[in-house]
Amino acid sequence: MASQRSALRLWKTSSQLVARQHVRRLTLHQHQSQELLKQAGAVVPRGLVARSAEEARAAVEELGNNSLLSAQLLKRNVSLAEQEAAGLVARSPEQAAKLATDLLRASDSGIAARELYISQPASHDEVWYLAMTIDRETYRPTIVISKHGGQDIRTIAKQHPASIHSYNFTLTEGIPESLTQRIASDLGISSIAETSSLGKTLTALHKIFLDKEGMLLEVRSLARSDNAFVCLDSSFVFDDDAHKRQTELFALRDKEQEVRDEVEAEKHGLVYVRMDGNIGNVVNGAGLAMATNDAIGLAGGKSANFLDAGGQATTQTMMQAFSIILRDERVRAILVNIYGGITRCDMIAESIIGAASEMNIHVPMVVRLQGTNSEAGLKLLADADLGLFVESDFGKAAQKAVELANA
């Protein structure tokens, strides 16, 4: 019971953050995750990648009829059962070619899949869910498992909360046999062969989690059949801060399916996060970004995005920041909220003035500066006669941005 409560708490507090694509983490496609599992020693069905209808036809000819076709989109919310119900099982090479033609078109979100993953059918008695992640409250790596797989963990938590079990472990010790035995006992596995197969799968996940610096390794469809477990569908997320250490892994990144403005901001050393409201924000630092979002919410508004300029405060940086934010047609006002520490506020003000003078900023902009030389910076902004709303108080600045956005 304790493990069930722990699992529910874990996923209620963290799963949505992992699922949101604007979070700066590396998310792999299904076929890439499956390949990592295979290399680590887990059992996965044979699969091929196709980039055209003809390649899909050839793949099913090689793999056999009743192969499963899956469009490789980073935002995949379709369960294995839903895929089968939607007719994505190719009964023949000819049907595979027809399905591929449709799947390689743009999705409802406007993103087109460039690849299909075609895998051999695998008979099974049950489909479970298995994941490895970090429990942020206990600061320990955790195994999450449920007998109701083939779907998103949030759906499982909503429909079958009692089925979710979680187990903490240590990275250095790995997956000891005693932990595998405990999991097997809790889930009603009595066969030695089946317990061994589960242990092999857990060990493979642990190897990837440790060696590749994983954040969330999901096997949404873990097939149980003939005293063995087979990984049918997986999706892996890795720590973005590991990109310098994991160059081979990060070479797999598909930038074409990421948020365009996030990729553009990254080119200029900026961090961009897309949200749901109508106020664009330029800040410096993640903590200030979260505080600004809270202040806007407290004032009754919602942020459309955040652009973290970090320690950069040049005119060129500000121009790039404003340009990216203004491309978002939802933005009705901009709030610049910057704390001047090493970079003085008067220098930041000069950069904002330079950018605003050279650009057509067609929405009202509120600027709040605090820190070194903040009074001088605010005076420069007020005297610039650029139509900027200058404010030193945090709460008042947020309130003004909300008022302008709603006007």
Side-chain angles (χ1 to χ4, degrees), residues 210-253:
L210 179 64
D211 293 350
K212 304 294 185 182
E213 302 182 59
M215 295 192 73
L216 174 64
L217 309 183
E218 287 186 291
V219 181
R220 297 201 309 176
S221 299
L222 179 67
R224 180 189 186 191
S225 179
D226 297 327
N227 290 323
F229 287 95
V230 181
C231 302
L232 302 183
D233 177 24
S234 58
S235 178
F236 293 171
V237 178
F238 297 91
D239 187 351
D240 190 69
D241 288 335
H243 70 278
K244 291 183 179 179
R245 298 183 295 272
Q246 304 286 349
T247 54
E248 186 176 335
L249 178 68
F250 276 75
L252 301 175
R253 180 181 174 189

Side-chain angles (χ1 to χ4, degrees), residues 6 9-10 133-142 166 168:
S6 175
R9 171 184 47 74
L10 171 68
T133 187
I134 296 291
D135 185 336
R136 297 299 177 186
E137 291 195 10
T138 63
Y139 307 104
R140 298 179 66 186
T142 302
S166 68
N168 291 127

Side-chain angles (χ1 to χ4, degrees), residues 189-200 225-229:
I189 300 173
S190 57
S191 163
I192 295 177
E194 200 168 14
T195 301
S196 175
S197 178
L198 177 63
K200 183 178 180 180
S225 179
D226 297 327
N227 290 323
F229 287 95

Side-chain angles (χ1 to χ4, degrees), residues 41 45 94 107 171 189 225 268 339 348 390 392:
E94 291 71 26
S107 65
L171 291 176
I189 300 173
S225 179
H268 303 286
Y339 179 82
I348 296 168
V390 181
S392 60

Side-chain angles (χ1 to χ4, degrees), residues 79-288:
S79 69
L80 182 68
E82 288 172 329
Q83 286 180 340
E84 293 174 343
L88 301 187
V89 175
R91 309 297 180 189
S92 66
E94 291 71 26
Q95 187 183 18
K98 292 179 181 178
L99 289 172
T101 300
D102 292 333
L103 289 171
L104 290 171
R105 292 173 181 162
S107 65
D108 292 339
S109 62
I111 300 175
R114 295 180 299 132
E115 299 174 325
L116 302 177
Y117 184 56
I118 304 175
S119 55
Q120 284 182 324
S123 60
H124 50 267
D125 302 320
E126 295 178 316
V127 175
W128 292 9
Y129 173 94
L130 172 65
M132 196 168 283
T133 187
I134 296 291
D135 185 336
R136 297 299 177 186
E137 291 195 10
T138 63
Y139 307 104
R140 298 179 66 186
T142 302
I143 295 166
V144 179
I145 190 166
S146 168
K147 286 188 174 183
H148 293 272
Q151 55 192 331
D152 187 274
I153 185 62
R154 288 170 292 177
T155 303
I156 301 172
K158 183 178 180 180
Q159 297 180 355
H160 308 283
S163 75
I164 302 176
H165 301 264
S166 68
Y167 305 86
N168 291 127
F169 63 95
T170 63
L171 291 176
T172 51
E173 186 181 10
I175 310 298
E177 184 177 350
S178 59
L179 178 57
T180 302
Q181 292 285 355
R182 178 186 164 198
I183 296 173
S185 176
D186 288 350
L187 296 174
I189 300 173
S190 57
S191 163
I192 295 177
E194 200 168 14
T195 301
S196 175
S197 178
L198 177 63
K200 183 178 180 180
T201 305
L202 292 171
T203 299
L205 278 178
H206 174 265
K207 177 175 176 57
I208 299 168
F209 197 78
L210 179 64
D211 293 350
K212 304 294 185 182
E213 302 182 59
M215 295 192 73
L216 174 64
L217 309 183
E218 287 186 291
V219 181
R220 297 201 309 176
S221 299
L222 179 67
R224 180 189 186 191
S225 179
D226 297 327
N227 290 323
F229 287 95
V230 181
C231 302
L232 302 183
D233 177 24
S234 58
S235 178
F236 293 171
V237 178
F238 297 91
D239 187 351
D240 190 69
D241 288 335
H243 70 278
K244 291 183 179 179
R245 298 183 295 272
Q246 304 286 349
T247 54
E248 186 176 335
L249 178 68
F250 276 75
L252 301 175
R253 180 181 174 189
D254 186 352
K255 293 183 180 181
E256 290 191 15
Q257 290 194 28
E258 296 182 13
V259 177
R260 183 193 65 169
D261 290 334
E262 291 183 10
V263 177
E264 178 68 19
E266 186 180 338
K267 293 179 182 177
H268 303 286
L270 307 171
V271 178
Y272 177 92
V273 175
R274 182 180 174 88
M275 300 182 76
D276 303 323
N278 62 1
I279 299 174
N281 298 276
V282 179
V283 299
N284 62 334
L288 187 56

Side-chain angles (χ1 to χ4, degrees), residues 33-42 44 205 208 219 231 234 236:
S33 300
Q34 291 289 90
E35 181 60 28
L36 287 180
L37 277 171
K38 179 181 176 182
Q39 293 174 4
V44 302
L205 278 178
I208 299 168
V219 181
C231 302
S234 58
F236 293 171

